[in-house]
Amino acid sequence: MSDDHSYQVRRLESRTGGVEHELHSLRTKLGEVEDLDYELNDIRGDVRRIEDDLSTVRTELTELDDDVRGDIQDTEQALKRLTGRVQALEAHLLAAGGAPLADLDTIDPEWQKLARTANHGWNVRSGLLPGHQREAHRLNIRHYEGAVEERDEHRDKVVEAAGVLASQPRTSREFKQAVMDFGMSRTLAESHGQRAQKLANTAQAARAALAQDDSLRQAKASLIEQGDKAERKLNWLLRGRLADAIRDRALLPMWFVTVLGPVPPAHKTQEWMDHATQFLAYRVTYGITDQAVALGAAPDEYVPRRTEWHRELTKDLRRW
């Protein structure tokens, strides 16, 4: 074998040894990857177990929360029953001690007249457009006027560009700019003009509605003002009667005690007095004489002020 062949053999053997070394290294790394894959699988298993535990904890917390809510509701009901018994005992003690009886239901004819005037004023006001509806009409008008303004602005630009086209040479920079301005302004003018046409009927109806409402407000202003004055005076008189009864430690009617209690609370006293006055005003306005139910029966059919007032006062009862 020649020296050249011997050299090539040794070189191939050296390369083979290098390849075997790299193959061994790759197998080692592959084993490490497999070990890492096992570890990742273990970690994934741990994550799944933790997620299951969290789900179980959430379920337990939800059940606990439901139990707590139920306990709170039961406690509130028990407290209401206890409060009712205490109020009844207080009433018996006051009656046994010779406490005067508060008369909140005997109403002076003048007070009834005030209630009728206030109710009439409210009904007149209810025939007017509410504030949000007037604002909606104004918005429709503004949209139309905005479209007209945009249309006219671009029409003026069209006329201006046309003047330049008629007076400047075709090869001038001004002429070329006017060509672009003319085309763009004409397109925009047409677009805003079409938009204005679509909004025109709505804006016209909005103007008519506002004009009619303004006329009605002016014609009914005196009745609305009289109603407002009558309502303020009636509330002042009813509040004074209630304040006198509380000051004299009088025994309040059962219909009053069952919803508002025998005395004002130590906190939110002003708010309590305001709500109590509204209950009295409602009874006076609609002639409620029920001695057990503060507001009487709800209206059988929808009556704008009465139905809404009854619903509002019923909602307020939950606070007391």
Side-chain angles (χ1 to χ4, degrees):
M1 182 180 294
S2 65
D3 293 339
D4 185 46
H5 286 165
S6 298
Y7 171 75
Q8 290 182 358
V9 169
R10 287 195 300 272
R11 188 177 178 184
L12 288 173
E13 289 176 348
S14 176
R15 288 186 178 181
T16 301
V19 170
E20 289 178 349
H21 176 73
E22 291 181 3
L23 180 59
H24 177 73
S25 177
L26 287 173
R27 286 173 177 168
T28 302
K29 291 180 179 180
L30 181 59
E32 292 176 354
V33 169
E34 290 177 348
D35 292 339
L36 180 59
D37 189 48
Y38 292 143
E39 291 180 7
L40 286 175
N41 287 332
D42 290 340
I43 292 173
R44 291 192 185 100
D46 292 339
V47 169
R48 284 194 293 270
R49 285 192 293 273
I50 292 173
E51 289 176 345
D52 293 339
D53 292 341
L54 284 175
S55 177
T56 302
V57 170
R58 289 193 187 99
T59 302
E60 292 176 352
L61 286 175
T62 301
E63 293 175 353
L64 178 60
D65 190 41
D66 293 339
D67 292 339
V68 170
R69 286 198 187 97
D71 291 341
I72 291 174
Q73 291 176 353
D74 293 341
T75 302
E76 288 178 346
Q77 293 176 356
L79 181 59
K80 287 181 180 179
R81 289 194 296 269
L82 180 60
T83 301
R85 292 180 181 179
V86 170
Q87 291 173 351
L89 288 173
E90 288 176 343
H92 285 301
L93 288 174
L94 288 171
L101 299 177
D103 185 6
L104 302 181
D105 292 317
T106 301
I107 304 301
D108 187 281
E110 285 299 318
W111 295 19
Q112 295 176 341
K113 183 178 178 180
L114 289 172
R116 289 193 297 270
T117 302
N119 193 50
H120 182 61
W122 194 96
N123 289 329
V124 170
R125 189 194 301 276
S126 68
L128 304 176
L129 292 178
H132 71 274
Q133 194 167 351
R134 286 181 62 87
E135 182 57 31
H137 285 317
R138 294 192 190 100
L139 186 61
N140 287 332
I141 294 172
R142 287 198 296 270
H143 285 164
Y144 169 73
E145 291 176 344
V148 171
E149 184 177 349
E150 291 282 350
R151 180 202 64 190
D152 293 344
E153 180 180 346
H154 290 293
R155 281 182 176 177
D156 290 341
K157 291 181 179 180
V158 169
V159 173
E160 182 181 350
V164 174
L165 293 174
S167 61
Q168 296 296 323
R170 289 178 175 272
T171 57
S172 67
R173 185 179 63 183
E174 290 81 5
F175 186 92
K176 294 177 181 178
Q177 182 63 45
V179 169
M180 291 188 294
D181 292 343
F182 182 89
M184 183 173 60
S185 296
R186 185 179 64 178
T187 300
L188 289 173
E190 291 176 353
S191 175
H192 288 294
Q194 292 171 358
R195 179 166 170 262
Q197 287 179 351
K198 292 179 181 179
L199 297 174
N201 290 336
T202 302
Q204 183 178 1
R207 286 198 181 97
L210 287 175
Q212 182 180 1
D213 190 59
D214 289 339
S215 177
L216 188 60
R217 285 174 183 271
Q218 185 175 1
K220 302 296 184 180
S222 177
L223 292 175
I224 294 174
E225 183 179 0
Q226 291 175 17
D228 291 342
K229 288 182 178 179
E231 182 178 2
R232 288 194 295 271
K233 185 173 183 180
L234 178 63
N235 288 340
W236 179 75
L237 291 169
L238 293 172
R239 187 186 183 91
R241 172 177 284 188
L242 178 59
D244 290 342
I246 294 172
R247 180 199 61 199
D248 297 338
R249 297 175 182 250
L251 186 60
L252 296 171
M254 185 55 62
W255 66 260
F256 186 99
V257 174
T258 54
V259 294
L260 291 167
V263 293
H267 66 291
K268 298 184 178 180
T269 305
Q270 181 75 23
E271 190 175 352
W272 184 90
M273 287 292 293
D274 291 340
H275 285 147
T277 301
Q278 287 300 303
F279 277 97
L280 294 174
Y282 182 92
R283 289 176 67 90
V284 173
T285 302
Y286 300 112
I288 306 299
T289 58
D290 195 314
Q291 292 302 302
V293 182
L295 301 177
D300 293 332
E301 57 184 16
Y302 182 78
V303 181
R305 189 195 186 195
R306 183 170 182 177
T307 301
E308 294 169 9
W309 199 1
H310 188 284
R311 186 182 299 131
E312 180 181 350
L313 291 175
T314 302
K315 182 179 178 181
D316 289 340
L317 286 179
R318 301 171 187 172
R319 307 179 62 180
W320 308 106

